[in-house]
Structures are given as C-alpha cells and as structure tokens.
Amino acid sequence: MLKVDLSGASSFFDAAGPDFAAAAAAHRTLAERSGAGSDFTGWLDLPQKVKAGELRQVLAAASHIRGRSETLVVVGIGGSYLGAKGAIELLRPRPQSGDPKIIFAGNSMSPDALMGLLEELGETDFDINVISKSGTTLEPALAFRMFRGLLEAKYGPDRAKKRIIATTDAKRGVLKTMANEEGWETFIVPDDVGGRYSVLSPVGLLPMAAAGIDVSTVIDAAIEAFAAMDQRSPENPAWQYAAARQHLYRLGKSIEILACYEPSFRFMAEWWKQLYGESEGKNGIGIYPASVEYNADLHSMGQYVQDGPRTLMETVVSFEKPQNEFTVPFAMGDPDQLNYLAGRKLSDISRVAQEAVKAAHIAGGVPNMEVRVEKRDEVGFAQLVAFFELACGISGYMSGVNPFDQPGVEAYKKNMFRLLEKPGAV
C-alpha cells in the first residue's frame, strides 16, 4: 500500500506539529458528507458504483474502438481529460501492438495546435469521445464541431454516428440533447462528482481502456485503497499528507512543488495541480501547486528550489520497483571516467541521486515529503488517485474552504462570451 514519509519535513515543524485532530474532524466531515459541497462527494464510493454499473459497458465500448480504429480523439478540457491523459502517459507511454493512438483535443483554441492534431490524425480510422457535462464549454465544443465534421466527411453522417461516444450529463444539457437526437452511445458524468474528481468514472476509464489499460484492475485497486485509507488514525497516509502540508502552510510554506523522477509522471502532476489548485485556492487562501520533472529540472528549476525564496515545500512521488533494469557496463581504459559505476544498476544510482537531492533541499530550507508507491502499474495508479483525492478533501476542509466548488473558474468565461457577443451573454 502507498506510504507517506514525513522525515524530511519533521525538522521544519513547530512544537505543536501537524494537527491530526483537525485531520480527524475533516475526515469525519467528509465521510459523513456533512460539510460544504457535500453534494459533490460521490467520488468517495465511485469505484464501487462503476464496478456495479457502467464498467461492463466501458469495456465493451473500448473493445469496439480498439477493433475498428487506429486513433481515438478525446475531446475535453480540465477534469474531462487530465486524469485520462495522466493515466495513459504513466501506464502506456508507448502504445503497444494493437493499441490505438489517443489524441486529446479541446483543451486549447490555438489554430497551430489544432493543425498539429490534424496532422497527427492523418488518414487513420478514428472514433471521437466527447466529454462535457453541459456541452457549452467553448474550447471542447469548438473542437468537437471540427472533428465531428471530419468524421462525417470521412464516413458519412450515418456511419459517423456509430463512431461518436458522448460522456455527459444523465438528463440535460446541449451535449445530452445532441446525443439523444443523433443516437450516439453515451456514458454519464455523475451529478455528485466534480470534473477534477472524475477520473475513476467513464470520463477517465473509457479513454484509459481504449489505450489498453486494465481498468478492471484499476477499479478493484481503487476500492481497496479507499477502504484502507478510511482508517481513522495518524497512521493514515492521507491524514499525514494533509496535516503536514497544512501545518507547513501556516509556517509560511505557501508553494508546494510536486516532483517525480519518472518523466511519464508529467501529466499526473498536471492532474494533481488542477485537483489541489481548484479545490483549495479560494477565499484569498490556498497552497499554490506547482510541479517539476526530476532529474531534468534539477538543472534548471533546481537553482530556484535550492536557493530561492524559502516559501517552498516539496512532495516527491517515488516508484520503488522499476519496470525495467539496466546495468552500467565496464569500458576499457575508462575514457569517460565512469567505471566507478560499472556493474551498478541504474535504478540504484537514481535512488542515490534522489537521496542526495533530498538532503540538499532540506539543508537549503525546503521541507520534503515523500509519497511511495510500489510499482508504476494499474494498482499504483489507483492508489495515487485515491490518496490524492482523499487527502485533498481532508486538506480543504482543514483550511476552511469548500473543496468541491470552483466559483472563480466562471469569471473568464463570462468575459469571453460577452466579448464574443454570444447571444444572452452579459
């Protein structure tokens, strides 16, 4: 099971230390669904509901996509794509034989980025999975109109209908109305689950399954992880992380850097940034979530982390068992002066480097928290999702905010629609 190591942060705690009593109260509020935003806590038992409900349909739809298409275009923004993209890059960074290419559209309005996607799509057979609760969010709505047009031009309107899958509201909204009128296959975005908590629903599971990820294992592992982290004790890793980061925030550490030594973790970090930024950044308070990719960023952002303003805390995600292993070879004459490493495993060298970085950053005034997962696989992914979601809800309630709304996100949309002269916009 996932573990949290606070040893690299403990020297920064004051005498009181992390407030586990507050974590207990926040966890109780979350579990009893008695706090602000409780209407959006359906993610707590989402894996069980999916297993008993739509999982079979998700697997069947993914099988159809894999059998007929070389590409799946996933149209969505924010929580409608970040979790799936994070999972696919983490678990399936290189498509295997028979895997369709997964293209993510609708998260930008850059014409150059759109052209890049069109070039990547090329002449391949493709399906579309459009994901939007309302269907009116401008970025994905525009992308869907464009890709739907391409699909209908390629296959004809009737055949194209069989290649469009809409993941949307159960009863209402523009996209739901279109799906009903056109006869597209549909999946539901649960009413009680916000977008950033939706990766274990069909929002994330369908693209993941189409990419070849074993989503049945993901769901089973998530059920186990949520059950394990329902423990009401300071031994609970979600309590440890939530209480420690809130304690450090009160001590002036207002920026949290999420780091990982696996390049494939990049979009998991983007998912984490939305989860925590949108959940906690409100009412004039909140820990600012940032991310870095080690080792690469040690040679760029590393200077700032080591010697910049001491407002940082650092959380490092570590996978204990690599999927592959390499041994440094011996070279005659030692021309590159690396024979002192000959015969050592690359994973062991990497661990030494991680410990060196940790020690340097702590000495430089940056508290270090470590989240340890056994493997970079479906089980590890599910544990990370359950852990970060649960800790986010607890941490948000500890800070006194509603972790499940996002009132500030609407501000730019109102301005944009007014400037674009959308009918009815004010």
Side-chain angles (χ1 to χ4, degrees):
M1 184 58 193
L2 176 150
K3 297 178 181 178
V4 168
D5 179 1
L6 299 180
S7 62
S10 58
S11 64
F12 295 86
F13 298 157
D14 64 17
D19 190 348
F20 289 114
H27 194 172
R28 184 168 57 252
T29 298
L30 183 62
E32 294 174 355
R33 307 186 190 211
S34 59
S38 59
D39 290 346
F40 289 92
T41 53
W43 51 273
L44 285 166
D45 52 10
L46 181 59
Q48 293 96 322
K49 291 179 180 177
V50 167
K51 185 172 183 178
E54 290 183 290
L55 182 58
R56 185 174 297 179
Q57 185 189 351
V58 166
L59 294 172
S63 178
H64 293 153
I65 293 168
R66 291 172 63 82
R68 69 188 174 215
S69 286
E70 300 161 273
T71 304
L72 172 64
V73 180
V74 179
V75 180
I77 196 168
S80 295
Y81 94 102
L82 282 173
K85 187 169 178 64
I88 292 168
E89 290 212 357
L90 184 71
L91 304 178
R92 215 76 165 184
R94 291 167 297 281
Q96 299 179 16
S97 177
D99 290 347
K101 183 189 303 181
I102 311 297
I103 292 177
F104 291 90
N107 49 75
S108 165
M109 287 191 284
S110 162
D112 293 340
L114 176 61
M115 179 56 69
L117 293 176
L118 295 176
E119 291 174 351
E120 191 173 357
L121 179 64
E123 298 300 320
T124 62
D125 286 313
F126 71 101
D127 281 28
I128 300 174
N129 177 204
V130 55
I131 307 170
S132 175
K133 195 159 182 68
S134 65
T136 59
T137 303
L138 189 57
E139 296 91 339
L142 284 172
F144 179 51
R145 174 179 283 204
M146 294 179 183
F147 280 97
R148 180 187 175 189
L150 290 176
L151 194 74
E152 291 178 345
K154 187 178 182 72
Y155 299 104
D158 290 337
R159 290 176 61 201
K161 292 178 182 180
K162 302 295 185 182
R163 290 177 173 268
I164 297 175
I165 301 172
T167 306
T168 189
D169 191 271
K171 299 177 181 178
R172 55 191 173 273
V174 170
L175 184 56
K176 176 62 176 176
T177 299
M178 292 170 65
N180 288 344
E181 292 175 351
E182 298 293 338
W184 303 330
E185 183 174 9
T186 60
F187 289 92
I188 295 171
V189 180
D191 284 338
D192 56 358
V193 178
R196 59 189 179 276
Y197 290 87
S198 68
V199 63
L200 297 179
S201 77
V203 169
L205 295 175
L206 179 58
M208 290 161 58
I213 293 170
D214 183 352
V215 297
S216 296
T217 295
V218 169
I219 288 297
D220 287 341
I223 291 172
E224 292 181 9
F226 274 115
M229 284 184 282
D230 194 44
Q231 176 187 10
R232 308 305 169 89
S233 161
E235 299 302 311
N236 185 331
W239 285 28
Q240 293 170 349
Y241 178 56
R245 64 195 298 275
Q246 285 298 329
H247 183 65
L248 291 168
Y249 177 54
R250 287 194 295 274
L251 297 176
K253 305 298 185 181
S254 58
I255 300 170
E256 181 178 7
I257 296 174
L258 186 72
C260 186
Y261 288 80
E262 287 291 340
S264 63
F265 190 78
R266 177 187 170 198
F267 266 89
M268 282 298 294
E270 294 297 318
W271 169 80
W272 171 86
K273 282 157 64 176
Q274 184 194 7
L275 180 65
Y276 279 80
E278 204 168 59
S279 296
E280 292 188 323
K282 54 197 71 168
N283 301 342
I285 64 172
I287 300 167
Y288 183 83
S291 63
V292 291
E293 180 187 312
Y294 291 158
N295 291 71
D297 283 338
L298 292 172
H299 297 260
S300 54
M301 291 297 293
Q303 173 61 42
Y304 187 97
V305 175
Q306 188 69 44
D307 287 339
R310 299 300 76 187
T311 54
L312 306 178
M313 66 179 95
E314 185 174 49
T315 299
V316 180
V317 175
S318 299
F319 297 96
E320 296 181 336
K321 297 180 180 179
Q323 294 179 348
N324 302 284
E325 192 56 273
F326 294 92
T327 301
V328 177
F330 178 85
M332 291 297 295
D334 197 17
D336 51 12
Q337 301 180 24
L338 288 176
N339 275 352
Y340 74 99
L341 296 175
R344 298 190 66 171
K345 295 179 179 178
L346 190 58
S347 62
D348 292 336
I349 298 171
S350 179
R351 288 190 190 97
V352 171
Q354 291 180 44
E355 288 302 315
V357 172
K358 178 179 178 179
H361 288 180
I362 292 169
V366 179
N368 182 283
M369 298 175 284
E370 189 172 1
V371 179
R372 294 176 181 165
V373 185
E374 184 177 11
K375 292 182 180 179
R376 185 169 58 87
D377 60 8
E378 281 85 350
V379 173
F381 167 77
Q383 290 176 356
L384 282 168
V385 169
F387 165 75
F388 278 128
E389 288 185 347
L390 185 60
C392 186
I394 293 171
S395 181
Y397 279 142
M398 288 180 70
S399 73
V401 303
N402 176 354
F404 308 114
D405 68 353
Q406 51 282 336
V409 173
E410 299 303 315
Y412 93 89
K413 294 181 182 179
K414 291 178 181 178
N415 287 341
M416 179 175 64
F417 285 131
R418 176 175 54 80
L419 293 171
L420 289 171
E421 300 180 353
K422 178 181 179 180
V426 293

